[in-house]
Amino acid sequence: PDESVGNAAAVALGRTRDLRALGPLTAALKQASIRWSAAQALVELGNPAMDALAAILSEADVEVSKALLAHLKQYGVKDPRLVPALLGRLRSGDWFVRRSAAELLGQARDPHVVEVLTVALQDENRLVREEVARVLGEIGDARVVDALLGALQDRKTAEVARALGKIGDPRALEPLAA
């Protein structure tokens, strides 16, 4: 019942890197007072826990998703096993979750995410659209140039212009000059 003890226990479990901690840490995600520490600990369990972490993220509610995504970004986790769960988070009702998922998908460097991210250029939230454009620029796949040109025309954001510049496709020269 003591929040400080619960948080310290979660952190300690993560540092053990013992997969027996998965169950207690997963259960701790349901407790708002120790959720952040439990999410950190799950990420710290590392590579052996990625399949379980992907499954948890696929089913997570908004608050659990926020905590897990924040720690995945903090630790720079780029495991391809997370890609399906991250793609699912792009459909979240929460803009922060969608933006974080897009950022992590960019770090994963999976060429299969380009089509889904291209659709996400139309997200209702400006911050999500900007992150998606930045990620697409980092990926550098010329297949997205037409979608980025459409986004440049519709919304004229700096991130879209930067993404087009990073890709370096000649089709972007005239629209960028305009």
Side-chain angles (χ1 to χ4, degrees), residues 1-9 32-34 37:
D2 186 313
E3 182 178 322
S4 63
V5 173
N7 281 302
S33 63
I34 59 174
S37 297

Side-chain angles (χ1 to χ4, degrees), residues 7-149:
N7 281 302
V11 170
L13 282 171
R15 291 188 178 140
T16 67
R17 295 194 174 249
D18 188 323
L19 290 182
R20 291 178 294 173
L22 275 172
L25 290 172
T26 301
L29 289 172
K30 296 175 184 158
Q31 298 176 42
S33 63
I34 59 174
R35 179 177 296 129
W36 200 257
S37 297
Q40 176 184 350
L42 280 166
V43 172
E44 284 184 346
L45 288 175
N47 191 41
M50 280 305 128
D51 288 326
L53 190 57
I56 294 165
L57 185 57
S58 291
E59 302 295 322
D61 65 23
V62 169
E63 295 307 315
V64 171
S65 294
K66 285 179 180 180
L68 289 171
L69 293 168
H71 288 295
L72 287 167
K73 287 190 308 185
Q74 177 186 349
Y75 286 91
V77 176
K78 302 172 186 172
D79 196 296
R81 292 175 285 180
L82 294 172
V83 169
L86 293 170
L87 289 171
R89 298 296 88 193
L90 282 177
R91 293 185 301 274
S92 171
D94 184 85
W95 71 268
F96 183 84
V97 170
R98 294 191 310 273
R99 183 177 176 272
S100 297
E103 182 179 347
L104 284 162
L105 283 166
Q107 292 176 9
R109 299 283 186 216
D110 184 327
H112 300 100
V113 304
V114 171
E115 291 176 17
V116 177
L117 286 172
T118 301
V119 172
L121 274 172
Q122 303 300 319
D123 194 276
E124 65 191 43
N125 184 280
R126 178 185 58 83
L127 296 173
V128 175
R129 291 189 307 268
E130 288 177 354
E131 184 61 27
V132 168
R134 187 194 67 73
V135 166
L136 288 171
E138 292 293 323
I139 292 172
D141 191 320
R143 293 179 295 168
V144 302
V145 170
D146 288 334
L148 286 168
L149 288 171

